[in-house]
Amino acid sequence: MKLEDCIKRIDNYMQIDDSHPRLVDVQNCDDMKTFCSHFRVGSNVFKDVADYANFDENPSEADLYNDLHNLSGNVFITGFTTFYKLFGEQKLKELLKNLLSFTTINIHLVVVCYQCKKQLDFLDPRMRNLIYIADGNTGENVRLEFSSLSMQTTKETLSANGIQSVPYFIENHNINHLYVNTKKKKSNYIYSLLDICEQKNAYSLLCSVDSATNELSESFGTTAQWEYALKEISKHKSWYSYVADTFGGSCNLDSALTKWEKYNDNERWMYFISLKLFGEKNGMYLSAVAKNTDYFENIEKELYQKILDFPYSDNNFWKCYNERRLLINYIGISDIQVADYCDWVVSKGKNAIYYLSDMTKREIYLIFKTLNDYRKDYTKSEIMTALEHTYPALYQYLQTYDYKNQLLNNYFDLYKFQKVANYIQPEFLHIVEEQALKRDYIRLLPARCEKTESIDVSNTLVYFMDAMGVEFLSFILAKCRENDLIAYTTLCHCELPSVTAKNKDFIDVFKNRGADFAGSDEKVSLIDDVKHHGSKDCDLPNDEIPSYLSRELEIIERTVKKSATDLQIYKKVILISDHGSSRLAVINNSQNKYKMCENGEHSGRCCRKTRGDEPPSCAIDSEDYWTIANYDSFKGGRMARFEVHGGATLEEVVVPIIEITKAPAEYEFKMLTEKIKFSKRKKNAQIVIFSKSKIDGISVRISTIDKLYFAKSSNGQQFTVSIPELKKSAQYSVDIYLQDNLLKSGLKFCAENTDFKEKDIL
């Protein structure tokens, strides 16, 4: 019959004096809702099967009958028929017969059945008159999935909390699948009319919650981890939503690593699983790591070591290298992983320099050791290509600096590479021996005292950088550019011997003219300390690899950065050195070669003069001392381990005065030679450019001429540029560069070739 007819019959039943119960069977949850809503009015009483069961337990039929004896009025019973389907056909029929046989004068009893047509097909015609079966579409049988694990209920993935709740969800929701959080087993209901399966663990249940889980191997996590995932994914409805809410979306998993140190262990594991599930859209390296890692415990190891699988010659190598560097910074440096990585990277041999970095002291040490071990196998270009990415500070140190003199350019370019690679080339040793006799630095460079008097030190802070030679100039200028500073450099030579006691006259000169000195002891002695004693941070015990250089670069970089802050107060900061030092004199290991009346000092680089001395040709008379100008030494000097000074090699005596100011918002230049006359035959074309601010080492590019010209200046403001390649009379445009940085473009000058006029006169 129609549902409306069923409702009418029950309405009539409640109006008459009849103690026999009525059974109403509906076929779907919509009809169930309609029927119950109609009668949930007034004093009508509704009792559900869950009212007669403890949590996660079967209902008590005895408690039901006892309760019915004590009730009065109109009573509706729901859920029992659905629950008894778990017990099987026979138990369900027995329940229905018992309920139909129950009589009491106190109540009108209505048992609301759900999809029980077959079980209500009784042979006794008298009972059929008490049964009303509503027509209606019957949905699929509901499949129950038992699990002892709790899962959040969502609209898409409903779960019943406890076995007693099952009838409610079946009779009130259009579902064909229901998760049941219960300790009951399928074996407890061996005759069940409802289809039952068991979820053995959280992983299998999670596969049902979001089918994407099937793409993941259960071995990716522990039981506890999959239980955590089940809880989270049930709450967020899907993996996709979880990743969006927690990590910012599947396309941003690389950025999510920035919070790695804040994640707890479960969140880190969920991140690993998200990588396995979605991969990494933006990062080639992280995607490769995810693909290659099947165990969460290995993800940090893979982040460190996956780069070893990429050939350094691959077009994408440096992209992956830089991504790896960024990701490791996100997750934080792990001493354990660094040590393990370094143990493996040495298998790359000479190519290890492409796979190391400056992120840790251990790797820095290995960079120096690799350069030392394979120094004969590298070209300069190979070293610079690698270091530009792996160790930018060392790359900047090794870059060519224009000392405005070919001897100095060639000498220090070679010196720096030999210092880093820890050896001496015979050709370079020949230059050292030659200069020990010629001593060109005296002719090429002024004494420092000649320059300090003329430097404006008003509102100036001075850093006395003990033992900082000119080898660091390319590095210092690079750091100045990074900090928006302008550096003007003056090259000088120090007094002999090259020791601090003989080379600190500038302190009084600057102080008497109002300059302030940084540091309580008036000097930054850290560089000198490193040169004498090395750095515990950089060097392994008893190891003579020059990785201490990294500490020197750190000290200088910190000083330049501090200078940028100082210039908030001062107009100018000056970095000035007393003397340089020599690594190659230590490597040469020509200790205690010359016997004098007095013992050698400063590792034998100098000794006190006496009347009976017969000095070698490489010794310079410097007042009360003899000073060695090559890599030999006097006897009696204590062997140095890292670097020495006191001698007269170029690296010991050539010193810088570096004036640092803020970079102006815009560099201002003026062409002083707007019109020039030149002879193509004589190649004498020159232009003069004026800079409003003092600036070091500008170069220019002339339109139509594919060449960069270095400008010469005696004061850092007025620059002369010779252009021997100029051929035609025309107007030319000039671009001005500081190192590789374009400072100004579009300056103009007109050039007139006078060769034609000379021919006319003849």
Side-chain angles (χ1 to χ4, degrees), residues 304-313 317 341-356 366 370 374 377-378:
Y304 274 85
Q305 298 196 13
K306 186 59 183 175
I307 191 67
L308 297 175
D309 293 337
F310 289 83
Y312 73 91
S313 57
F317 177 78
Y341 179 75
C342 288
D343 288 343
W344 284 106
V345 77
V346 294
S347 67
K348 293 289 185 179
K350 63 169 282 192
N351 295 329
I353 59 167
Y354 295 99
Y355 295 87
L356 292 162
L366 270 182
T370 304
Y374 298 95
D377 299 329
Y378 295 119

Side-chain angles (χ1 to χ4, degrees), residues 518-530:
S520 57
D521 61 351
E522 298 178 333
K523 67 177 179 176
V524 179
S525 59
L526 292 174
I527 297 175
D528 190 56
D529 292 342
V530 171

Side-chain angles (χ1 to χ4, degrees), residues 218-381:
E218 188 175 355
S219 64
F220 290 169
T222 64
T223 298
Q225 287 168 336
W226 285 118
E227 288 178 358
Y228 178 83
L230 175 62
K231 177 182 176 183
E232 291 299 310
I233 302 308
S234 296
K235 186 191 305 180
H236 289 83
K237 303 181 181 180
S238 68
W239 277 105
Y240 184 85
S241 295
Y242 171 83
V243 172
D245 294 343
T246 308
F247 302 126
S250 60
C251 294
N252 295 300
L253 288 174
D254 55 340
S255 300
L257 267 183
T258 58
K259 300 178 181 178
W260 182 262
E261 292 184 314
K262 296 180 181 179
Y263 295 149
N264 59 38
D265 288 343
N266 279 327
E267 289 169 331
R268 289 183 178 185
W269 178 77
M270 291 290 280
Y271 178 84
F272 160 71
I273 292 297
S274 300
L275 271 181
K276 295 297 293 182
L277 194 57
F278 296 105
E280 169 46 42
K281 308 292 191 299
N282 300 322
M284 179 184 299
Y285 186 73
L286 186 56
S287 181
V289 168
K291 185 177 180 180
N292 198 57
T293 311
D294 286 344
Y295 298 99
F296 166 64
E297 295 77 9
N298 292 342
I299 188 169
E300 287 192 12
K301 181 177 181 178
E302 283 297 321
L303 277 172
Y304 274 85
Q305 298 196 13
K306 186 59 183 175
I307 191 67
L308 297 175
D309 293 337
F310 289 83
Y312 73 91
S313 57
D314 189 280
N315 290 335
N316 291 312
F317 177 78
W318 290 118
K319 181 179 180 181
C320 290
Y321 178 94
N322 292 333
E323 185 187 346
R324 170 189 180 268
R325 188 184 186 103
L326 186 65
L327 295 174
I328 289 176
N329 282 326
Y330 285 165
I331 68 174
I333 300 295
S334 165
D335 292 339
I336 294 175
Q337 296 298 340
V338 170
D340 191 34
Y341 179 75
C342 288
D343 288 343
W344 284 106
V345 77
V346 294
S347 67
K348 293 289 185 179
K350 63 169 282 192
N351 295 329
I353 59 167
Y354 295 99
Y355 295 87
L356 292 162
S357 77
D358 60 354
M359 291 191 290
T360 65
K361 299 299 181 184
R362 191 181 183 102
E363 288 183 85
I364 287 174
Y365 168 79
L366 270 182
I367 288 176
F368 282 96
K369 189 175 188 308
T370 304
L371 291 173
N372 173 82
D373 293 348
Y374 298 95
R375 58 195 174 212
K376 294 181 180 179
D377 299 329
Y378 295 119
T379 65
K380 178 180 177 180
S381 175

Side-chain angles (χ1 to χ4, degrees), residues 130-148:
L130 305 176
I131 300 171
Y132 310 142
I133 298 177
D135 298 330
N137 295 325
T138 302
E140 297 180 36
N141 286 335
V142 178
R143 178 184 177 86
L144 304 181
E145 291 201 33
F146 283 7
S147 173
S148 61

